[in-house]
Amino acid sequence: MEKIPVTNLIDKFGLERLNEEEINNFIEVSDIKRPGLELAGFFDYFTPERVQLLGRTELSFLKELPPELLEERLNKFFSYDIPCIIITRNMEPPQPVLDLSKDSGVPIFSTDYSTTNFMSLLSGYLEAEFAPEVTKHGVLVEVYGVGLFIRGKSGIGKSESALGLVKKGHRLIADDAVVIRRAMRDTLVGRSPEISKHYMELRGLGIINVQTLFGAGAVREEQSIDFIVELEKWDDETEYDRLGLNEEQREILGVTLPLVTIPVRPGRNLAMVLEVAAMNYRLKNMGYNAANEFTTKLKDELNK
C-alpha cells in the first residue's frame, strides 16, 4: 500500500479526536517518531512524514518550557507537513499544541494506551499495511502447523490435493490465488483475496465453500509460508530425486524458500505425500535429515 488515510487509525485503535477539523491527511511511511529532540530545539534530522507520538516524557517537557520558548518550538514543529499527532495515556496537551494543530491542519488524537504499548501496536499495524505484496497462482494450506504453498500448471490437481488435506483435518487458507506479503525480512505470509476467501474450485463439481462444508476449523485467515511444493506431470524420461539430497529453492519478494518437486500420475495419493512432506520439513528444522542419515549408513556399509 502506498499510503494510508489517517482516518483509518481512528477505527482501528479507537482514537479520540482532540480537534474537529476535516481530516484529509495520509500516512506514507511505516516508521513512528517520538519528537523529543525536536521539542528540545534540534530539528536537523527531523522526520515529519512519520506519525508523531507524544507521551508522558514529551508532554512533561513541554509543560516545563517558558511560554516564549514553548511558542517558538511549537511554531517550528508545526511548520512541517505532519500526518497526525497521537497523545498517549489520555493526557492533556498544553493549549498551544491544540491551537497550533488546528491552525496548521494537523489532526491530533488521544489514546488510553501507554506509549510503549501503543507504539508496538501501531508499528505492527503500519508494517503490515506497508509490507510488499504480490499475488501468485497456487493453493496455500496449513499442515501440522507448516504452510505449504502448492504450485503447478492448471489442472494438475492442486485443489484436489488441498481438499484431501482438509478432509484429513488440515486447513485451507487460499485456493487458486494467494496474496503474499513479506511480513518481516525473511518471513512471507499468505492469505486469500477477499472475494474468494473459503471458496475452492473443483473441476466437475464447480465452486464449493470449504467453511460451510467442513466447519470453521477447516479454514484459516492467513498463514506463514514455509516451503513450496511444485506439482508436475509424471515424465518417465525425467530423473527425479530419489534420496532428497538435492534441495531446491525459490525466491518470492526477496525471501528464499525451500522447494520440493512432486511428480503426479493417476493413483498417487497426493494428500498423504504432502502430509509427509510437511512432517519431514519439521524434522529437518529440528535437525534431523533422513536422507543424510541413510547416505551416511550406506557409505559406512560400502566402506566395510
Side-chain angles (χ1 to χ4, degrees), residues 36-52:
L37 284 174
E38 288 72 23
L39 297 177
F42 185 75
F43 283 87
D44 287 4
Y45 300 101
F46 184 36
T47 48
E49 69 276 6
R50 302 181 183 183
V51 173
Q52 306 295 312

Side-chain angles (χ1 to χ4, degrees), residues 22 28 41 93 95 124 144 189 227 238 242 269:
E22 184 178 357
E28 299 184 4
Q95 189 60 41
Y144 299 126
V189 176
F227 77 100
T238 301
R242 302 286 294 273
N269 190 338

Side-chain angles (χ1 to χ4, degrees), residues 39-40 60-71 73:
L39 297 177
S60 298
F61 175 76
L62 288 177
K63 290 176 181 177
E64 294 295 323
L65 289 177
E68 300 81 6
L69 190 54
L70 174 63
E71 183 179 357
R73 299 276 170 79

Side-chain angles (χ1 to χ4, degrees), residues 203-218:
R203 307 218 170 185
L205 291 181
I207 303 296
I208 64 169
N209 188 312
V210 174
Q211 183 180 35
T212 303
L213 282 174
F214 298 98

Side-chain angles (χ1 to χ4, degrees), residues 78-266:
F78 282 103
S79 68
Y80 292 89
D81 189 13
I82 296 170
C84 69
I85 298 171
I86 301 175
I87 295 174
T88 58
R89 298 181 183 272
N90 280 337
M91 296 182 67
E92 287 289 333
Q95 189 60 41
V97 173
L98 296 175
D99 295 339
L100 285 170
S101 69
K102 181 179 179 180
D103 294 341
S104 57
V106 177
I108 184 166
F109 307 106
S110 175
T111 177
D112 57 357
Y113 282 102
S114 68
T115 309
T116 303
N117 287 343
F118 185 75
M119 193 166 187
S120 176
L121 290 172
L122 181 58
S123 178
Y125 168 74
L126 293 178
E127 287 288 346
E129 289 295 309
F130 283 108
E133 276 191 357
V134 66
T135 300
K136 295 279 188 180
H137 178 64
V139 178
L140 181 59
V141 289
E142 181 254 306
V143 182
Y144 299 126
V146 178
L148 301 186
F149 182 31
I150 307 171
R151 303 201 66 186
K153 292 183 179 179
S154 183
I156 196 68
K158 299 183 296 296
S159 297
E160 289 82 356
S161 302
L163 182 62
L165 290 168
V166 168
K167 288 192 66 178
K168 286 173 171 282
H170 307 294
R171 293 187 284 183
L172 173 76
I173 292 87
D175 179 61
D176 191 52
V178 182
V179 180
I180 302 172
R181 64 179 170 86
R182 192 178 68 208
M184 290 182 284
R185 180 176 297 180
D186 57 353
T187 302
L188 296 177
V189 176
R191 70 177 193 278
S192 172
E194 195 64 32
I195 192 170
S196 59
K197 185 185 294 184
H198 306 156
Y199 290 101
M200 178 182 284
E201 178 195 353
L202 295 172
R203 307 218 170 185
L205 291 181
I207 303 296
I208 64 169
N209 188 312
V210 174
Q211 183 180 35
T212 303
L213 282 174
F214 298 98
V219 296
R220 187 170 180 175
E221 295 297 311
E222 62 178 29
Q223 168 69 35
S224 61
I225 301 175
D226 296 299
F227 77 100
I228 302 169
V229 177
E230 188 80 33
L231 302 182
E232 65 175 39
K233 189 176 181 180
W234 189 292
D235 184 359
D236 291 333
E237 302 299 321
T238 301
E239 285 291 333
Y240 295 106
D241 188 6
R242 302 286 294 273
L243 296 176
L245 293 174
N246 301 324
E247 295 186 351
E248 298 180 77
Q249 294 180 329
R250 182 161 297 171
E251 185 179 292
I252 300 176
L253 292 175
V255 178
T256 302
L257 296 174
L259 179 143
V260 175
T261 300
I262 298 178
V264 177
R265 67 178 176 184

